[in-house]
Amino acid sequence: MSVLRRAKTWEISESEDSDAESKPDLNRDVSLEDKEAKSLNDKCKTLPSPPTKTDSSQTCALTPPRPEGSLTPSPARKRRTKEEIEVDRQKAKERKEERERQRAVRAQEKEERRQEQQRRKEAAENLKSLRPENYIKCLTVCIDPGWEWKFNIENQLLAHSITWTRNVPQQGEEGQVTAEEEQVVLVLTLADFMDIVISIKKMLDSEGEETELGIVLSPLLECLNRDAKKLVTLLVTGCELDHRSMCFPEEMLQSRLGLNNLDTEEVLVYLQLYKNISLVFLDSWQDVTDHVCAVTKALSKRPFKLLTEPSELPFCVDGSWASGVRVERDGSGLIQVWSRQIQQLNRVSPAVASTVTTSYPSPQLLLQAYQNLGSEEERKGMLAGLLVKTDGKERRIGPEISARIYRCCTAQNPQLVLD
């Protein structure tokens, strides 16, 4: 209360001082106020200071106010222990390792995507290279030096022969691999072909005895024995004949070779059926060139057709006009295929085939039934007693058809006559 009175007294004193110049009669009052103020200060010094206030604030009540916020002391910073520092450091290290692990995973996924794109690109390029217009660029015509042609000339196993090689693309960094085609073209003169015919005729007449083969036939048979997959075509040139027919006229055989038609047929059967050798008779060298170009073009189309055209069995073709059966992915249609296979046998009707497939729905079941029987006669007659219903009538399959089906399913000889 005294402080407030003093502040009020000071207010009056200041106003009094401000008016002192104009009113000199009030000097006596000012001196009295000064004395009261001095006594008030002395009293203030004797009062005990409160615990929360400083001495300067008690001694001088007119001290200017402190700046805003200076009355609140700043909190002291807490020091961290070594354990806390180590824990924080370990957490920071784990976060860093996690970021590096995620970065490595993303880099690996990116590399896998890049490799997958590269594989798809290579597969597309390989498929594109198999197109006829591109595959023909990979073919190389290999010609025997006997022809004295200035192209890719190299030694061949057969003299005067033409072969083909191709570059097969490989995945990855392996590049390309050179493969040899099965087709072989052997260009012969009429005299060379006569030598072959005479040698084959002597060999057939000798009935298996060793005979001297000709200079043309001997290397040809050696080449076929070395690689049975070779497809040899004999181009006979220099003969003024109708090359659309596959044999010589009778008058030429009698005059030049001394052979009749039966002898010529035996020679052609031996070449075509036993040795898989085709014959083409040409008039001029231009025809030889056209034939080589045609074979080269056919070889260029072959790989692409093998990839794009489905390789189905002839009795599985789609369409009722072809008497085929479509086999779905779930296996439906297989029993119809099994029935059509049995119908391919001579004098086997659809009713007979249906009876067999009803009793034995698959070839494996039929073979197991044959194995369970003891003797050969029982196996041949196993199907003879099955009843066949046609037009309201019933009859049995019979021993003849039963034996034919048995031979078809169990025979090991591909040339066996079933009937």
Side-chain angles (χ1 to χ4, degrees):
M1 192 71 183
S2 60
V3 176
L4 294 178
R5 281 175 54 189
R6 180 186 175 194
K8 184 176 181 181
T9 304
W10 276 23
E11 269 182 352
I12 297 173
S13 300
E14 289 176 355
S15 63
E16 294 288 342
D17 290 338
S18 61
D19 296 337
E21 296 178 354
S22 58
K23 297 180 180 180
D25 294 336
L26 297 177
N27 290 333
R28 189 176 62 86
D29 296 333
V30 172
S31 61
L32 292 176
E33 293 293 335
D34 290 338
K35 292 179 179 180
E36 293 178 358
K38 184 177 179 181
S39 62
L40 182 61
N41 287 334
D42 295 337
K43 292 180 180 180
C44 291
K45 291 178 180 180
T46 58
L47 293 176
S49 60
T52 57
K53 299 287 185 174
T54 60
D55 295 339
S56 58
S57 61
Q58 293 295 329
T59 55
C60 183
L62 298 179
T63 303
R66 295 182 178 181
E68 184 179 358
S70 61
L71 295 177
T72 304
S74 59
R77 186 173 182 180
K78 184 179 179 182
R79 292 181 60 87
R80 295 187 301 169
T81 62
K82 292 183 179 181
E83 291 78 5
E84 293 176 346
I85 295 174
E86 186 65 25
V87 171
D88 294 342
R89 186 180 302 167
Q90 186 66 24
K91 290 182 179 180
K93 183 178 179 181
E94 292 177 356
R95 289 194 296 269
K96 182 179 180 181
E97 292 177 353
E98 181 65 22
R99 289 194 299 269
E100 293 179 354
R101 186 161 45 251
Q102 293 178 359
R103 190 181 300 109
V105 171
R106 289 193 295 269
Q108 183 179 1
E109 292 177 352
K110 184 178 180 181
E111 181 65 20
E112 291 178 355
R113 289 194 299 269
R114 188 191 67 80
Q115 293 179 359
E116 181 66 22
Q117 292 176 358
Q118 183 68 19
R119 286 193 294 267
R120 292 181 180 179
K121 183 178 179 181
E122 291 177 357
E125 291 294 334
N126 293 340
L127 182 60
K128 185 178 179 181
S129 64
L130 295 178
R131 293 182 177 274
E133 62 273 12
N134 296 327
Y135 190 78
I136 196 172
K137 302 175 184 178
C138 302
L139 291 175
T140 303
V141 181
C142 304
I143 305 172
D144 188 80
W147 294 111
E148 299 180 355
W149 291 349
K150 296 180 180 179
F151 293 97
N152 191 5
I153 300 175
E154 60 186 23
N155 293 325
Q156 302 288 330
L157 296 176
L158 294 176
H160 307 288
S161 64
I162 301 174
T163 60
W164 288 261
T165 60
R166 68 182 185 276
N167 296 328
V168 181
Q170 300 293 324
Q171 294 287 347
E173 300 179 356
E174 298 181 2
Q176 295 180 345
V177 178
T178 302
E180 187 175 356
E181 295 286 352
E182 295 84 1
Q183 279 70 18
V184 178
V185 173
L186 183 59
V187 183
L188 301 176
T189 62
L190 183 58
D192 295 334
F193 180 71
M194 290 181 179
D195 181 73
I196 291 178
V197 173
I198 294 174
S199 301
I200 293 175
K201 181 58 180 174
K202 290 181 181 181
M203 183 175 59
L204 295 177
D205 293 340
S206 64
E207 297 181 355
E209 297 181 1
E210 294 185 0
T211 58
E212 183 180 357
L213 301 178
I215 58 174
V216 181
L217 183 61
S218 178
L220 177 59
L221 295 182
E222 290 180 1
C223 178
L224 294 177
N225 292 334
R226 189 179 297 107
D227 189 356
K229 295 182 180 180
K230 291 293 184 181
L231 304 176
V232 181
T233 301
L234 301 181
L235 301 183
V236 183
T237 61
C239 51
E240 297 179 357
L241 301 172
D242 185 8
H243 57 271
R244 289 173 295 180
S245 61
M246 297 303 297
C247 60
F248 287 109
E250 184 178 357
E251 55 273 11
M252 176 174 288
L253 295 175
Q254 294 177 354
S255 60
R256 296 190 179 185
L257 301 178
L259 302 176
N260 54 29
N261 290 336
L262 183 60
D263 295 334
T264 306
E265 290 178 359
E266 290 180 357
V267 172
L268 295 178
V269 167
Y270 177 80
L271 290 175
Q272 295 178 1
L273 297 185
Y274 286 90
K275 297 300 179 181
N276 198 19
I277 298 176
S278 302
L279 294 175
V280 180
F281 298 95
L282 303 176
D283 296 336
S284 62
W285 286 102
Q286 181 62 40
D287 296 334
V288 176
T289 304
D290 295 340
H291 183 84
V292 173
C293 293
V295 174
T296 305
K297 185 177 180 181
L299 290 177
S300 66
K301 296 180 179 179
R302 180 182 176 185
F304 188 75
K305 287 185 176 181
L306 291 177
L307 292 177
T308 55
E309 295 181 358
S311 57
E312 297 180 352
L313 297 175
F315 49 81
C316 292
V317 295
D318 190 12
S320 59
W321 59 271
S323 299
V325 177
R326 183 177 181 86
V327 179
E328 302 296 339
R329 292 189 175 183
D330 58 354
S332 59
L334 288 174
I335 191 169
Q336 287 81 4
V337 174
W338 170 224
S339 177
R340 294 295 176 87
Q341 286 181 300
I342 299 177
Q343 292 181 41
Q344 290 180 347
L345 299 177
N346 190 20
R347 295 189 302 276
V348 175
S349 63
V352 174
S354 177
T355 301
V356 175
T357 55
T358 302
S359 302
Y360 304 95
S362 68
Q364 186 66 27
L365 295 177
L366 181 59
L367 293 177
Q368 291 177 358
Y370 283 138
Q371 294 174 359
N372 293 332
L373 298 178
S375 63
E376 190 77 4
E377 295 298 328
E378 291 178 353
R379 297 189 186 99
K380 290 183 179 180
M382 185 182 68
L383 303 178
L386 297 179
L387 295 177
V388 181
K389 296 180 180 181
T390 54
D391 298 331
K393 300 179 181 180
E394 293 184 354
R395 63 180 181 87
R396 299 184 182 276
I397 290 181
E400 182 182 355
I401 296 179
S402 176
R404 192 184 306 128
I405 295 175
Y406 169 73
R407 287 194 295 268
C408 177
C409 295
T410 60
Q412 301 294 329
N413 184 10
Q415 298 179 356
L416 178 64
V417 179
L418 298 178
D419 292 333

